Amino acid sequence: MRAYYRFKKIIAELEDPRYIVLSMRNWALHELRAGIRELFASFGRLRRSALWHDSAKGALAALEVTFNEKTLTWHPHLNILIEGKFIDQDVLAAAWRKAARDEGLILPFIEKADAGTAKELVKYITKLVEFVHIPEAVGAFIDATKRARFLRTYGCLYGLKIEDEEDSENGKDPLTACPDCGSKEVVRLRKCFSQDDVYFDGKGVLRFCEPVDPFAVSVCDG
């Protein structure tokens, strides 16, 4: 959510943004790490191609992993925002096939980016609900993604920070300081919250809410 809030503003400032999805074949249950490594290696070869150099000034790539419970396979793919020229889909497909060196590829997708692209780009890293009930899949995912970078930037977008610039300028650390007052005092809440008691606000800040007891009677003076 922090990434979405940050990148939404970045996309609005780009002159000619494009949204691309690059996919490869599915990988077996315990081959996800190899699949992620090969996916980024293939994207690296694509970025070194003449087509990419002529078309893209910079890129933001978000790794997304989905799980097929029927076949017990992973589908890692890249959601990419580029600043640059439009690339014909057939031309992009030919370049991606060459870069990926694999016959089992899904046709790349490309369209002009708009206000909703940021949400598509980073809406989820993985759909946990697809495999959270399968312990072996959970273990395989954790092992494969340990220390993995799910968001990567290149070219003119290289080094793009997720946190809000205003917080950085004011010396606030969005990971350890209160997003409202900047305080770093920590208060341990001696209570367990359900998923219905927490939510993300518009800036991607995790908020807690106390459920209202419909049978409680509030009394106030006057």
Side-chain angles (χ1 to χ4, degrees):
M1 289 298 294
R2 289 172 56 240
Y4 165 64
Y5 174 71
R6 175 69 176 135
F7 298 148
K8 181 173 65 173
K9 295 186 296 184
I10 295 296
I11 292 175
E13 296 172 357
L14 295 179
E15 295 180 1
D16 205 7
R18 311 289 178 181
Y19 177 55
I20 297 175
V21 179
L22 298 178
S23 303
M24 298 185 70
R25 65 177 176 84
N26 283 20
W27 295 78
L29 186 62
H30 295 288
E31 294 181 350
L32 178 57
R33 178 176 287 275
I36 293 174
R37 187 185 305 115
E38 182 57 32
L39 179 62
F40 275 108
S42 298
F43 182 46
R45 288 189 287 269
L46 178 65
R47 288 188 292 107
R48 291 189 292 272
S49 69
L51 173 66
W52 192 266
H53 281 290
D54 292 340
S55 305
K57 299 177 183 178
L60 165 65
L63 171 65
E64 180 182 333
V65 179
T66 54
F67 184 72
N68 188 319
E69 184 177 350
K70 293 182 179 180
T71 61
L72 296 180
T73 57
W74 303 99
H75 180 57
H77 50 286
L78 293 176
N79 297 319
I80 304 169
L81 174 72
I82 71 167
E83 168 73 321
K85 303 176 183 178
F86 179 78
I87 306 174
D88 181 80
Q89 188 172 23
D90 291 338
V91 175
L92 178 61
W96 178 235
R97 280 196 298 269
K98 181 178 180 180
R101 303 173 181 174
D102 195 311
E103 296 180 357
L105 297 172
I106 298 175
L107 188 67
F109 170 83
I110 181 171
E111 68 176 8
K112 186 174 179 60
D114 55 24
T117 300
K119 184 174 292 186
E120 289 298 315
L121 194 72
V122 295
K123 63 182 177 181
Y124 47 72
I125 292 172
T126 185
K127 293 181 179 178
L128 295 173
V129 70
E130 294 178 341
F131 62 89
V132 71
H133 58 290
I134 306 175
E136 190 176 9
V138 173
F141 177 79
I142 292 174
D143 290 340
T145 58
K146 184 178 181 180
R147 298 179 181 176
R149 291 168 53 209
F150 285 87
L151 294 171
R152 305 189 186 191
T153 54
Y154 310 89
C156 66
L157 297 179
Y158 180 74
L160 185 68
K161 294 183 180 298
I162 293 178
E163 64 266 21
D164 186 68
E165 289 179 343
E166 182 179 349
D167 287 342
S168 298
E169 292 174 358
N170 293 335
K172 297 179 183 178
D173 182 351
L175 295 178
T176 59
C178 173
D180 300 319
C181 67
S183 172
K184 291 191 176 183
E185 283 191 45
V186 176
V187 178
R188 185 180 297 276
L189 299 179
R190 300 185 179 278
K191 176 182 178 180
C192 292
F193 289 85
S194 72
Q195 63 180 9
D196 296 326
D197 299 332
V198 296
Y199 68 97
F200 285 103
D201 67 11
K203 290 188 176 183
V205 177
L206 185 66
R207 301 287 185 179
F208 296 87
C209 56
E210 288 284 353
V212 177
D213 184 351
F215 299 103
V217 178
S218 60
V219 180
C220 61
D221 294 335

